[in-house]
Amino acid sequence: MGLLLLCVIWLITLASTYFFIAKTWWLPHGASASAASIDHQFAVTFVLMGIIFVAAQMALGYFAWKYRDRSSATNASYSHGNLTLELIWTALTAILFIGLNLVGSPIWAAERFRPSADEATHVEVTGMQFAWYFRYPGPDGKFGITKPELEDPSAGGEAALGLDTSDPASKDDIVTGIMEVPVGREVDVILRAHDVIHSFFVPAMRFKQDAVPGLAIHMHFTPTEAGSYEIACAELCGLGHYKMHGILKVVSQNEFDQWLAGHEAEKQ
Ligand SMILES: [Cu+2]
């Protein structure tokens, strides 16, 4: 029985470790400026935790076999624990946990606490059960006022966001169902939510942030490769959560300007 347990524990450990080493279910290719540093931090954390995980499971299997039931076994004796050992592994865990946080926090903070670049593209992203809406401020660079009492989610578009059309700044605001941004330029995202908490997740940009009702959360990222990328909602937000996805299109500056001008002309 002890040997069987050892085999099962080691087998589960090695099989699950294999899928991570072989990267069977992995993140898509990173296409943003911070992807390399985020992936590096991710890999360091993963390797460290992987070593500890494998070592702990191997030891568990070994002890399950070593202390198996034997006819020659003596009665188990009570152990009061070992204070020195407990202090050592608690300290090591604390050093590892705090250390990884300290190393990773500048990467995390760079997308949040540093102000976005002056020439950044501004996009307001609103999560609503169960769609994403994207709003661009238009040529005036100013977002028009939105009012909760004007919100009409069933109408879609700018009416869903409650855009106050009497505000001059709202006249050139563009609301779309697809997010399009120019490549190589920082994108300043203002995240909002209408009803419940959603989470704006663009795996290829290594970008993920909750959208919380009542908050306007600023974050920024710089796409470095043109292409179409999937946007998902990473917060269980209701029955239609599974279909709450969108498309991020990263295009050249020229294409972006044309796309925006097209929407602008449509609106006038
Ligand atoms: Cu959602």
Side-chain angles (χ1 to χ4, degrees), residues 198 233 235 237 241 244:
H198 299 276
C233 178
E235 186 75 62
C237 58
H241 164 70
M244 186 169 170

Side-chain angles (χ1 to χ4, degrees), residues 128-130 132 196-199 233-238 241 244:
M128 202 180 293
Q129 285 172 324
F130 297 95
W132 293 106
V196 297
I197 299 175
H198 299 276
S199 181
C233 178
E235 186 75 62
L236 185 56
C237 58
H241 164 70
M244 186 169 170

Side-chain angles (χ1 to χ4, degrees), residues 10-11 22 38 73 84 120 150 243 251:
W10 282 16
L11 211 70
I38 290 174
T84 318
L150 296 174
K243 60 177 178 185
V251 296

Side-chain angles (χ1 to χ4, degrees), residues 30-38 111 184 186 204-206 221-225:
S32 74
S34 55
S37 51
I38 290 174
E111 289 189 330
E186 197 165 80
M205 298 295 137
R206 303 293 188 268
F221 68 94
T222 308
T224 51
E225 284 172 43

